[in-house]
Amino acid sequence: MTALKDLDRCTCLPLDCDALLAVGWLGVDGDFRRGEVSSDFFEKLKALCVEPWQPVASAGFHQCGLCQFDGPRFSSNVFVPFNGSIYVAPVGIVHYVAAHRYLPPQVFIDGVLACPPMRSMAYHKALLANGGRGLVSGGPG
Ligand SMILES: [Zn+2]
């Protein structure tokens, strides 16, 4: 998949929204920050990625290019509204953290910990409050 620098404008999706910032779009060169994260963060991230809300239909599967063999495939993205932006990560970020020790930017970690449950009214409102009005059509609220 297309590699993007963390916190760059997310140009990887066909969405017209200035609030979208990329997190965890890792390239195959293995050039990314590594480190430890708290289990609180990891569990919350995992929960958000179970069945994440999607503003657009998936454009196909990505496969982890960091695994030597049998990298997991994933197709959806997770949207984390926080602090005036919406952070967009492929759900493979769970695998990147668990298997490849990827360390996301602190603002994304804070955003995940603060994120309301996926598909809740609070989540929907957080999307709207952080610049996601162009992403959200219909739905609750
Ligand atoms: Zn992998």
Side-chain angles (χ1 to χ4, degrees):
M1 72 189 179
T2 319
L4 293 170
K5 269 173 47 188
D6 281 348
L7 308 183
D8 270 3
R9 274 282 310 280
C10 186
T11 52
C12 40
L13 299 170
L15 294 169
D16 186 20
C17 178
D18 289 340
L20 295 178
L21 299 179
V23 171
W25 296 78
L26 307 184
V28 294
D29 57 6
D31 182 17
F32 56 88
R33 247 168 23 121
R34 290 173 172 80
E36 293 192 1
V37 299
S38 70
S39 58
D40 280 359
F41 164 74
F42 184 70
E43 292 302 322
K44 183 75 186 285
L45 180 65
K46 218 164 51 168
L48 291 175
C49 289
V50 169
E51 208 181 312
W53 170 83
Q54 305 288 291
V56 286
S58 161
F61 283 94
H62 298 301
Q63 184 167 24
C64 178
L66 300 166
C67 287
Q68 183 175 193
F69 298 111
D70 295 341
R73 289 149 68 89
F74 40 88
S75 62
S76 49
N77 302 298
V78 61
F79 292 75
V80 177
F82 185 64
N83 206 19
S85 295
I86 298 174
Y87 300 90
V88 188
V91 295
I93 192 172
V94 173
H95 167 79
Y96 293 151
V97 170
H100 303 296
R101 304 182 70 87
Y102 166 60
L103 178 63
Q106 186 62 42
V107 67
F108 178 77
I109 292 174
D110 293 344
V112 165
L113 290 171
C115 188
M118 197 51 69
R119 294 171 191 277
S120 65
M121 182 70 83
Y123 176 78
H124 190 83
K125 284 184 174 162
L127 283 174
L128 291 175
N130 288 282
R133 190 160 291 280
L135 302 179
V136 178
S137 55

